[in-house]
Structure formats: structure tokens, C-alpha cells
Amino acid sequence: MGKTMGDRGIIKARNDKREYRRVVLENSLEALLVSDPDTDKCAASMDVGVGHFSDPPGIEGLAHFLEHMLFYASEKYPEEDSFDKYTSQHGGGTNALTGSDHTNYHFVANADCFEEALDRFSQFFVKPLMLSDAVKREIKAVDSEFQKNFLSDSWRIGQLWSHLSMEAHPYHKFGTGNRQTLEVQPKAKGIDIRQELIKFYEENYSANLMHLVVYGKVSLDKIQDLVVQKFNAISNNNRSRLHISGDPCSWEHLQVLVRAVPICDDHTLQVQWPIPCSIHHYKEVPCGFLTHLIGHEGEGSLFHALKRLGWATSLSAYESFVDSNSSFFNVFIEMTDAGNEHMQDIVGLLFKYIGIIHQFGICEWIYNEIAAVSKTMFHNQDKISPMSYVVSIASHMKLYPPKDWLVKSSLPSKFNPSIIRAVLERLSSRNFRIFWVSKNFEGETNMVEPWYATAYCVDKLNDSTIQEWMQHAPSEHLRLPVANQFIATDLSLKKTDKVMYPVLLRKTSFSTLWYKPDTAFSVPKATVHLKFNCPYACNSPHAELLARIFKHLVFDYLNEYAYYAELAGLYYGICRTDDGFELNVSGYNHKLRVLLDTVLKAMADFTVKPERFSVIKEKLTKSYQNFKFDEPRFHASYYRSLILNDHSWPWEEDLEILETLKPKDLSGFAPTMLSRAFLECYIAERNEAESIVHHIEDVFFNGTYPISKPALPSQLMTSRLVTLDEGASYVYSTEGLNPNDENSALIHYIQIHQDDIILNVRLQLLAFIARHEAFHQLRTVEQLGYVCSLTHRYDLGVHGLQFTVQSAVKCPKYIDTRVQSFLKSFESKLSEMSKVEFESHLNALIESKMEKDKNLWEECERHWEEITDRTFLFDRVETEVAALRELTKQELIAFFHEHIRIGAPKRKVLSVRVYGSKHSSDLEADKNEAVGPNTVLIDDIFSFRASQPLYGSPRRGYELMEVHSSSK
């Protein structure tokens, strides 16, 4: 059976009630077993110690291609895609990822499917099937994935980093692969790609290179029996891990300035230093210590200086792993237009700050503060989804001893100045490379990266260059951070009432207060949700843009202060809504009120700082201008919203208005926006809840000259959705916004009903059953594109079904016909479904819906959605489960025939077709083609919107709602 290690040998969080056991099987596979009696799901993750660094020369992307192929079928379960079908029909799903030196496969499913799901999963590593037909088809999926990423700056610049490294080092490789590397080139050389796949699998997928994490509801003994039974059959050929010697960069790749041209109109600066991988010092965390200082955003920090100069909008410092021996230390800066003109000064300030760390920065008190916060966070961590949890552990098992598999590098405990200084010495002017990315370099480059065609040029620098930049950099008062006053020292738990659902504690003309204490998780954390219904914040595109700038400026003003709170585990967010904005503050409850009161004061005392207004306006303007470079599926989603949402405006109009806005416009708008407001509040702790609401009312509504007055009932309007006509199909066709993007996209949206429990569960079950079937047919069989999904939509109280496909191989109209063909075939499958199959799907959906919240934030978000939607169905899950238990197969088929079937009397469809450059000729042909009697072509979105009726708002008022009796 092999060796075992129990809970006592594995360090876990104090609040973690799960049991753990390490097992080494006879074939040398190393596994971690996790028993969680409270879980509703089971999950597993297999991490194989081989990635794209091991791709054979000339077959780039083979490891990634194998990752695609492995989940297709096995000898024991030969039906194609049957594992994805099994997990999706049992409340779960599958996924996989290919890294440089590892490949991870994982799944999640309902807990009662544990044994069969594990058996199906294990067979991919015992005897997978890689049939010729599937191999030919899946090359198209890999190529479609490559095409999807081809115009993504993050992929393009990432590959440029690799390209500018030693050709002999595997870091230089192209890991994704495409049709050229997996089909065209191998065929030209007489290489059988299927045989290469099998060879790569047999040579590298050895049990001794595998790490497995299995998560279940049953006991550790039962999990161990199953793991031994199912995974011992994996062959072990004692394969050695890929040994990589040397650094990825030679002298010719260092002391260089690389200028590159991006797709988006942004200016970014990335400074990289090759360093030894810090994983060997995970208790000392030298890189963690240095990223804490260089990436700090408090007063005196590098970012604070760059922000004050108007040169940067963000800065981050991090270590990126190359292999177990090598890493890069990175500093990434997003620059403004002004900052782009001062690149040399920015780099000079960066090296100045590194010099300050050399002189004063390796302080034990800073290390101890990092360690104290890390310890608190580790021992009070929230549960996450089982699939995310097993992946996070399995992906790192080969890097840490078993006792630290759960801890990893999250508990720094050994302050060692010499180890920190050794890394710091590497951050020198002799050992760096700079990637400066800007559209300004168009026409100035002389080289092209071969895989993504990124234009770039390289200039050689030297020590004296950096010294000159440092001397000429402005004299900013750079200093180390001060002690963090937000660190929680009181982690005691509050006494709470036994309350199952939120109760209305208080309502006035100013606000309502909902209260629901933490009765399930017993953590020293809390959350406060506040919704400001401000009618003047959203009644025009002009108002919406100014409200957005207001939000960004509040963040901007508080950044240096709130950054300390964030480091200590306290967070706040402000997000715009259709009828105002929301403020959320969450984290350790000890200092939460301090942060909340500060944010409220910043909003109440808001004034416009013209220089910061200009920076925010520039950043917002670029985000609008860069929208055209998003993937076409996001453009299709935008058009769907523009057609259906009566309270939406085109991005071109927003951009036109934005360019005219001045600081004085916001100075006049901000008081107006807050002049009428109604607050909805949801807070977890009763005494604090009422105190908070009283304080908010004092700040905004009370006093001699109140900032706000209660919003009038007639002002509390809400967005509504356009009603499509029954029996009609609407088509909106348009060319893609980016003429260089070959990809097209289709959204096929079926509008069905307003919120209604009986209809809700019918649609949920239908989507639950059809989701895998759609993916299998449209993606796996027909290979229409890498992105193929079927989702249940809920927009402004209206439910619907949506197909989304992005493709570089077929035009949107053709894809639309394939969606319709799928619905015809699915109609037959639905009718032929046996009673046993129907009940299996029904019970799996019920189990999924009854999954318990894993943490306080999930519970609060679920209740908060009911409050902000004004539906107040806090027992929605229980009510829908009860309705599902009464649902029959005949009722489900009748629902499909009435609303979804092609030609159904109540079917209401909107097809949004975005044509990429590859299909531009199809757009003209499709526009000129005759349409059927029930098809409506939408030429003018706003004329169409004005001609259609709207759904009534589902939002309920508070007039008839009773305040909780104990608080009257």
C-alpha cells in the first residue's frame, strides 16, 4: 500500500476541521487525501511533472495538445467526452492547464458521485484513448485557442520575454502550439502527430512524476482504499524530472531596453531581474519581503511618488518562476501619457528606492509584521471551492516537503538578512532588462517576434546609463513604510442571535437596515454592504460618466491610507449600479469600522483635485478606446445589452462625452448626485449595524446643511428589459470593432420569462441537462471554436438561455444555423430520455442547489442580491428545491416546446452576429439575403428599442414591509 502520514505531520490552519493524510502508492505516486464531512462536493487534482518545457524540437505545443486530448476517452470509458458529461450532469465539471514544468488535470462533482467520478478520472492516467479522428479535430481547438489569444497583449508580451532568452533554454519555447506546429510542420516532415502524442504520454506520464490530491466526504480510510484501488495501476517508468541547468538569459539578454508595440493603446514598463528561484527559502521569503517594500503603495513608497508626479496609475512587484532553479523578479508599472515621456526618470526612481532598501530596508520589524499578518490570514482562512483547493495544493506539492503542503510559503518564520540581501544584490544595474511597451513605437521597430508577430527593437544599456537616470530623476521623498495600524489584534468572536435569514431591523425615509449575523462560520470577520440609490447618478450618459470618475477619485484619494488596510486583510470596494453605487467593506471586524468611517468621510467631503481628475479621465478614456480590442464575444455581449437594456448607451457616445468633461463639471455634479439618496444596508453584527446606520444618516442626511435629502419615491426608477415578441427571431449583424481580428462571435439569446419559481426551475434543469450536450456538439464534434458555452441568463428580473460561440473558422450566420440544428437534435434527446435519466439529472441539480455556502462572503452575497434586486426571497434555494421535487419530465418537455423549440409559439430569440475580418464578405452576403416571415433584422438599435414594450420592474417596495418585531 505504501507509506502514510497523518494530520500530525501536516501543518494546517487552526480553524480547519478537515482531516489529511499523505499516501505514497507502490508505483511511487504521491497523494494527499482530504476528508471533509461537511462538503457537498468531491474533487481531485492530478499534477503531472511535465509541461511545455519538454516539448520535442519542432513540435511546439505538444504537451498542451496532450492536455486537450487526455480527457477525451479511455479504454474503460470509450465514449468521447463522457467524463465531462458525467461531471457536468452531477453538479460539477472538469478542466486542465499546462504549465512550463507541470500539467494539471482536475474535476469536481457532487459528493455522492465520488467513487465513479474518481474511477473515470483515474483511467486517463491508466489507459487513455487518443483516436485518430479526435486528434485531427482537437488540433482545431488548440489552434482556436491560439487565435483567441493572438491579439492579447498579455500573451504577446509574455512570449516576447521568452523569445528574448537563450535558444538552448526551454524558457525560449512557444508552449501553446497551433495548427502550424501540430499539423502542417509535422506532416511536411512525415511525422505522425498521434504517434508523437502517445510517445510523449508513455515517456513522461510516469507515476513517480505525479502528485494527486483527492477531496471527499467519506473517511480517510475509505478515500485511501479507493485511491490505492484506482491509481496503483498507473505505470511507473522511473522517469527523471526535466533537469534544467543555467539561467534563461545570457549577457546579451541583459542590460537591454526592449521597446515593443502593443495592440491596446497603453503605456507599460516592466523591469526584470533574473534571480535564483526563492522557493528554496520559502520560510525566509526573501522575494516576499522585497515585493512588500517595492510594491508598497503607502506614503513615501515608489508608487506614491510616481502617482504624485502624475506618471503612473499602478505598480506591482512579484516573482515569476521559470523553473525550480530560476525566477525573474519583476516590477510592472502602468504609465500615463506624461509618465511615458519620463520613462528614464521612473527607472531612475526605481533604482533609487532599491538603494534605500539596501541602506535601511532589511529590518526585522518589517519582517515580523509580514509574518504576523500572514499567520493571522493562514489560521483564519476561508474555505474555497473544493476544485480550487485541490488544484492549489497539487500544483505545488513537488516544491515543498509534505508537512508544508498546505502552508506552502504563507507562513514566513525565519528572518535572515543575508538571504534577503543576496536577492537584493541581484536587483542591480548589471543584471536587468526593461520592456517598454507603447503604441508610440509604431514605425520605429526593426524586429518581429515569430509567434504573435509583436514588433519590437532592442537597445543595449550599461551601468552608467542607469546611474545617469538615477542622477537626473526628480528628488522625491522616498522612504520605507511605517507600522501598519490596521493589523487586527482582537480576533475574538462576537455573540450572535440565531437568525436563519436576514431581517429588516429598521426603515426610515433615509434608509433600510437588514441584519443577518454569522451563525455558520465562526470567523472574526464581517462585511458591510451599502447601496446608495442616487437618481441623479445615472439618468444620462453624462451623469453616468461623472459618477464613474467620482468613484475612481475616491479610490485614488484613499489609496495610500487604504493600502495598509488591504495588507492587513481589510478591503473596500465601490461599484457603479444602474441606480447609483454600492459600497462594500469586508475583512477582520476589529478595525473594519475605522476603514468604513474613513471611506464615508471621503465621499461626504469630496472635492475635485484637477491634476488627479486629468489622470483618471485619461485612464478611463483609454479603457473606452481599447474596448475595440476586446475579444468579439465581449462585443457581442455588449450589443446584446445595448439592444435589450433600456438604460444603456453606446460606448462611442460615452467616449465623445468623456473627452469634453472638465474638473468643474464634476465639482458641480458631485453635490447634485448625492443631493437625493436612499440607502439600503446589510450588516452582520446587530449593535454595530444600528450604530453604523445612525452614523451614515448623521454624515449624509442630518445637520444644518445636509448633503443629502431622501430620494422621492418617483425618483427611484430602475432599468428595465426590452420585451421581444413571441414567435419572432431578431437578428443584429455587425462587423467586428477591430479590423485586424479574424475571430467572429455569435450570441444566440432566447428570452423566456420574468422571475417565477416554477418557470425558474424548469429553465434551470433544462440548462443543466443541455450544457454539456451543447459543448460536446458545437466544440468537440463540430469544432466551431474554442469558446462554446450554453448559460442560463438573468437580466433585470428576466430569465433566458444563451449560446455563445467565438470562431475563426466559421461565420456567425453559419454558427447560428448549427445552434438551431443542435436544438432540433436536443429536442429528440429530451423526448427519448428515460425516467431514470430524468430523475438522475433532477437529483443532481437538487444536490448542486443545496450546496452549503463555503464562507461568510458567499452567504452575504446571496442575501445581498435578494435585497438589491428587491425580490427578498431569502429562502429561494429551499423554495426552488421544493418546486424541483414536484417537476415531471412531461412538464419539462412542455416548457421546452412552448419556449425554446425551433418554431415554438412563445419562442423569442435575439441573435447577435459579430463578423471578424476573415468573414467580412459573409457579412455583406448575409445582410442582403432574404429572411423569413418571423425574422426581424435590426438595423438601428435605438429605433428598435423605442418600438418595443418593456418588462415591468420586478422590484418590490418597502411600504408594506414590517420591521422585525424585537426592534420596534
Side-chain angles (χ1 to χ4, degrees):
M1 183 176 292
K3 306 171 188 174
T4 65
M5 174 192 283
D7 259 11
R8 292 180 183 176
I10 298 172
I11 300 168
K12 66 177 187 176
R14 283 194 289 265
N15 68 346
D16 189 351
K17 298 181 174 62
R18 293 167 291 207
E19 294 182 322
Y20 299 88
R21 182 182 295 168
R22 170 185 177 252
V23 176
V24 181
L25 305 189
E26 291 174 358
N27 59 2
S28 296
L29 185 149
E30 201 168 12
L32 178 68
L33 319 180
V34 188
S35 173
D36 180 4
D38 295 327
T39 188
D40 305 292
K41 299 289 185 184
C42 64
S45 172
M46 176 71 88
D47 201 76
V48 185
V50 61
H52 75 255
F53 277 5
S54 298
D55 285 344
I59 315 180
E60 292 85 358
L62 187 66
H64 179 221
F65 187 27
L66 177 58
E67 174 233 294
H68 275 241
M69 288 303 307
L70 203 71
F71 272 170
Y72 254 73
S74 63
E75 284 190 14
K76 185 173 181 180
Y77 299 99
E79 182 189 347
E80 194 175 272
D81 247 4
S82 61
F83 184 52
D84 186 66
K85 179 179 181 179
Y86 180 83
T87 55
S88 67
Q89 292 180 349
H90 291 87
T94 67
N95 211 336
L97 58 92
T98 305
S100 57
D101 62 353
H102 73 116
T103 307
N104 192 284
Y105 301 86
H106 41 277
F107 80 87
V108 66
N110 289 336
D112 62 349
C113 306
F114 183 50
E115 185 166 352
E116 183 172 347
L118 205 60
D119 189 54
R120 289 174 175 270
F121 183 65
S122 68
Q123 290 304 306
F124 297 122
F125 308 99
V126 176
K127 287 190 176 178
L129 279 182
M130 286 178 265
L131 301 177
S132 297
D133 181 59
V135 169
K136 290 175 185 175
R137 279 185 281 118
E138 197 59 23
I139 287 175
K140 295 177 182 177
V142 174
D143 190 65
S144 180
E145 184 177 355
F146 169 72
Q147 295 297 335
K148 177 182 76 72
N149 299 329
F150 185 74
L151 296 179
S152 163
D153 281 329
S154 60
W155 283 91
R156 295 166 70 85
I157 301 305
Q159 189 61 45
L160 183 59
W161 298 343
S162 297
H163 178 65
L164 295 175
S165 65
M166 295 176 64
E167 286 191 33
H169 196 285
Y171 181 70
H172 185 80
K173 293 186 176 185
F174 165 55
T176 301
N178 57 22
R179 181 173 172 267
Q180 194 70 24
T181 66
L182 297 172
E183 183 178 61
V184 177
Q185 290 174 187
K187 193 174 289 185
K189 297 174 183 176
I191 295 172
D192 184 332
I193 195 66
R194 178 174 175 269
Q195 290 305 316
E196 289 295 324
L197 273 174
I198 293 169
K199 179 184 175 184
F200 189 87
Y201 172 85
E202 290 177 346
E203 288 183 356
N204 294 288
Y205 275 50
S206 175
N208 71 302
L209 296 184
M210 295 183 182
H211 288 90
L212 173 70
V213 181
V214 179
Y215 193 109
K217 192 179 183 74
V218 296
S219 70
L220 285 174
D221 289 341
K222 176 63 175 174
I223 296 174
Q224 181 167 336
D225 288 345
L226 291 173
V227 166
V228 171
Q229 174 190 328
K230 299 182 186 305
F231 291 91
N232 239 339
I234 298 173
S235 64
N236 176 18
N237 57 21
N238 288 312
R239 179 77 174 181
S240 298
R241 291 192 183 279
L242 177 68
H243 176 70
I244 301 171
S245 59
D247 294 327
C249 297
S250 67
W251 65 268
E252 67 180 288
H253 305 115
L254 298 175
Q255 288 190 319
V256 293
L257 171 63
V258 181
R259 290 180 290 150
V261 181
I263 299 297
C264 292
D265 186 12
D266 293 314
H267 312 298
T268 64
L269 191 66
Q270 181 110 3
V271 184
Q272 294 185 331
W273 294 267
I275 61 171
C277 181
S278 72
I279 202 72
H280 305 293
H281 300 292
Y282 70 95
K283 293 293 185 184
E284 295 87 355
V285 292
C287 283
F289 182 87
L290 293 173
T291 58
H292 172 80
L293 294 178
I294 297 172
H296 209 282
E297 297 181 19
E299 285 192 16
S301 67
L302 172 63
F303 177 65
H304 179 241
L306 297 177
K307 181 185 157 190
R308 191 168 55 201
L309 291 163
W311 292 351
T313 56
S314 76
L315 182 150
S316 58
Y318 62 95
E319 179 185 12
S320 56
F321 296 103
V322 174
D323 56 61
S324 59
N325 297 311
S326 304
S327 287
F328 285 105
F329 191 99
N330 302 269
V331 176
F332 176 75
I333 302 169
E334 289 183 292
M335 299 181 294
T336 61
D337 288 345
N340 201 51
E341 299 299 316
H342 289 273
M343 182 279 295
Q344 296 178 5
D345 292 325
I346 291 173
V347 174
L349 283 169
L350 168 59
F351 276 95
K352 274 188 176 183
Y353 196 79
I354 291 170
I356 290 172
I357 300 173
H358 268 287
Q359 282 186 279
F360 311 109
I362 306 180
C363 307
E364 189 167 8
W365 77 263
I366 295 177
Y367 186 93
N368 290 342
E369 188 176 89
I370 296 169
V373 171
S374 300
K375 186 175 180 180
T376 298
M377 288 185 170
F378 177 76
H379 287 296
N380 293 280
Q381 60 188 280
D382 299 308
K383 263 191 175 182
I384 58 175
S385 71
M387 187 160 80
S388 298
Y389 191 60
V390 295
V391 171
S392 70
I393 299 170
S395 300
H396 296 91
M397 285 167 72
K398 66 179 180 294
L399 302 175
Y400 299 95
K403 69 183 179 67
D404 289 324
W405 278 347
L406 308 182
V407 174
K408 300 186 278 291
S409 56
S410 62
L411 281 182
S413 58
K414 296 178 181 177
F415 177 61
N416 190 321
S418 61
I419 289 176
I420 296 172
R421 189 167 296 280
V423 176
L424 189 59
E425 293 291 342
R426 295 286 188 129
L427 309 189
S428 75
S429 57
R430 301 179 302 281
N431 184 49
F432 70 95
R433 54 191 200 157
I434 300 171
F435 290 85
W436 184 9
V437 181
S438 173
K439 283 273 198 185
N440 292 5
F441 303 137
E442 284 183 326
E444 298 180 7
T445 59
N446 59 3
M447 287 179 273
V448 176
E449 189 278 319
W451 299 110
Y452 291 87
T454 302
Y456 73 98
C457 60
V458 180
D459 298 313
K460 195 71 178 172
L461 305 176
N462 54 45
D463 280 359
S464 61
T465 307
I466 299 301
Q467 297 306 317
E468 286 174 22
W469 292 359
M470 290 172 67
Q471 288 169 13
H472 290 101
S475 299
E476 289 298 309
H477 298 294
L478 300 172
R479 60 173 171 79
L480 299 174
V482 298
N484 193 340
Q485 301 302 313
F486 276 104
I487 295 175
T489 54
D490 180 3
L491 298 173
S492 60
L493 301 179
K494 306 285 185 181
K495 290 184 178 179
T496 59
D497 304 326
K498 292 295 182 183
V499 178
M500 182 173 290
Y501 302 117
V503 295
L504 184 62
L505 275 187
R506 185 174 183 271
K507 67 173 181 177
T508 67
S509 60
F510 307 121
S511 66
T512 57
L513 170 59
W514 293 89
Y515 156 72
K516 164 67 175 73
D518 169 18
T519 57
F521 306 105
S522 299
V523 290
K525 301 177 183 180
T527 183
V528 174
H529 286 284
L530 306 174
K531 181 176 183 184
F532 288 74
N533 295 278
C534 300
Y536 298 131
C538 47
N539 56 3
S540 70
H542 187 272
E544 186 183 283
L545 285 165
L546 287 169
R548 187 169 291 182
I549 296 174
F550 170 86
K551 179 199 87 166
H552 283 294
L553 281 174
V554 171
F555 270 116
D556 187 77
Y557 297 168
L558 289 173
N559 188 69
E560 290 78 18
Y561 175 84
Y563 185 75
Y564 281 97
E566 184 181 327
L567 289 176
L570 267 178
Y571 311 94
Y572 86 99
I574 303 173
C575 65
R576 194 183 58 80
T577 66
D578 285 337
D579 43 10
F581 57 90
E582 290 181 14
L583 167 62
N584 168 243
V585 183
S586 59
Y588 297 108
N589 50 26
H590 182 204
K591 306 285 180 72
L592 184 145
R593 181 67 185 272
V594 177
L595 178 61
L596 173 63
D597 288 354
T598 304
V599 176
L600 292 169
K601 188 175 188 304
M603 291 165 55
D605 296 345
F606 181 83
T607 57
V608 180
K609 299 175 184 176
E611 72 283 0
R612 299 312 301 165
F613 176 94
S614 298
V615 169
I616 297 301
K617 176 184 170 181
E618 179 189 306
K619 185 175 181 180
L620 201 52
T621 300
K622 286 186 176 179
S623 73
Y624 275 101
Q625 292 170 335
N626 288 330
F627 173 66
K628 61 181 174 286
F629 301 119
D630 282 354
E631 292 178 42
R633 58 187 164 131
F634 300 126
H635 298 153
S637 180
Y638 155 77
Y639 288 122
R640 184 209 62 235
S641 295
L642 194 63
I643 291 166
L644 295 176
N645 188 336
D646 78 317
H647 203 74
S648 57
W649 297 279
W651 70 276
E652 301 96 331
E653 286 184 18
D654 281 345
L655 181 57
E656 185 179 332
I657 293 167
L658 180 58
E659 289 171 343
T660 69
L661 295 180
K662 302 286 191 294
K664 65 179 182 181
D665 297 315
L666 183 56
S667 294
F669 170 77
T672 302
M673 178 183 73
L674 294 171
S675 66
R676 291 283 182 179
F678 180 76
L679 266 68
E680 292 173 281
C681 313
Y682 173 50
I683 303 172
E685 207 275 307
R686 180 164 188 157
N687 294 329
E688 193 75 3
E690 296 187 89
S691 169
I692 288 171
V693 173
H694 282 302
H695 175 69
I696 294 171
E697 291 187 358
D698 285 342
V699 170
F700 288 95
F701 295 99
N702 298 330
T704 309
Y705 302 104
I707 296 168
S708 306
K709 292 181 180 179
L712 302 172
S714 61
Q715 293 178 311
L716 295 175
M717 302 176 69
T718 184
S719 297
R720 294 161 65 192
L721 209 68
V722 164
T723 304
L724 301 178
D725 295 341
E726 292 182 354
S729 293
Y730 300 88
V731 178
Y732 179 73
S733 300
T734 185
E735 63 183 352
L737 293 173
N738 181 1
N740 297 317
D741 197 336
E742 294 185 349
N743 290 283
S744 294
L746 167 79
I747 279 182
H748 183 98
Y749 167 77
I750 306 171
Q751 191 179 76
I752 301 179
H753 67 277
Q754 279 195 286
D755 200 33
D756 173 278
I757 293 296
I758 300 299
L759 297 179
N760 290 357
V761 299
R762 294 177 183 179
L763 179 58
Q764 288 166 14
L765 182 58
L766 200 65
F768 186 80
I769 297 170
R771 188 173 64 241
H772 166 79
E773 299 289 345
F775 180 86
H776 175 71
Q777 182 61 37
L778 302 176
R779 156 78 190 274
T780 307
V781 176
E782 299 189 34
Q783 287 293 336
L784 294 178
Y786 180 72
V787 177
C788 293
S789 65
L790 170 61
T791 53
H792 171 194
R793 284 201 65 83
Y794 178 69
D795 303 281
L796 304 174
V798 178
H799 293 259
L801 205 59
Q802 178 173 300
F803 293 84
T804 304
V805 181
Q806 181 170 294
S807 176
V809 295
K810 296 293 182 182
C811 78
K813 183 182 178 184
Y814 175 82
I815 297 170
D816 215 350
T817 64
R818 300 314 302 154
V819 169
Q820 293 172 55
S821 177
F822 165 76
L823 287 171
K824 288 176 182 175
S825 65
F826 182 72
E827 180 182 354
S828 302
K829 290 183 179 179
L830 199 60
S831 300
E832 295 163 5
M833 186 187 298
S834 68
K835 183 180 179 183
V836 172
E837 286 178 300
F838 172 79
E839 289 179 352
S840 173
H841 289 308
L842 186 70
N843 291 331
L845 177 58
I846 287 171
E847 286 181 36
S848 291
K849 291 184 74 64
M850 292 180 70
E851 182 181 355
K852 295 187 287 288
D853 297 312
K854 289 175 284 300
N855 53 59
L856 180 63
W857 323 123
E858 285 188 1
E859 180 187 83
C860 289
E861 284 301 321
R862 186 165 50 83
H863 292 320
W864 180 236
E865 187 175 346
E866 294 290 341
I867 292 167
T868 54
D869 287 349
R870 297 275 190 95
T871 43
F872 307 127
L873 291 175
F874 300 115
D875 62 346
R876 181 181 293 273
V877 170
E878 295 82 355
T879 306
E880 289 186 343
V881 165
L884 277 170
R885 295 191 193 281
E886 301 297 319
L887 181 60
T888 65
K889 177 188 167 185
Q890 289 69 31
E891 289 170 332
L892 184 66
I893 292 173
F895 177 80
F896 179 85
H897 284 179
E898 187 174 12
H899 296 282
I900 298 167
R901 178 178 60 87
I902 304 297
K906 292 188 177 180
R907 178 176 157 89
K908 301 184 288 185
V909 178
L910 169 64
S911 289
V912 178
R913 303 170 180 173
V914 176
Y915 288 73
S917 60
K918 197 173 183 179
H919 306 121
S920 54
S921 58
D922 296 304
L923 172 60
E924 293 307 312
D926 293 349
K927 277 188 171 180
N928 296 324
E929 191 174 318
V931 297
N934 295 321
T935 300
V936 179
L937 299 181
I938 301 174
D939 295 316
D940 184 320
I941 289 176
F942 302 101
S943 296
F944 170 75
R945 228 164 67 176
S947 70
Q948 291 296 115
L950 301 173
Y951 277 102
S953 172
R955 291 163 61 85
R956 293 165 55 191
Y958 283 98
E959 294 79 7
L960 302 178
M961 296 192 71
E962 291 287 329
V963 173
H964 191 246
S965 58
S966 65
S967 63
K968 284 184 178 177

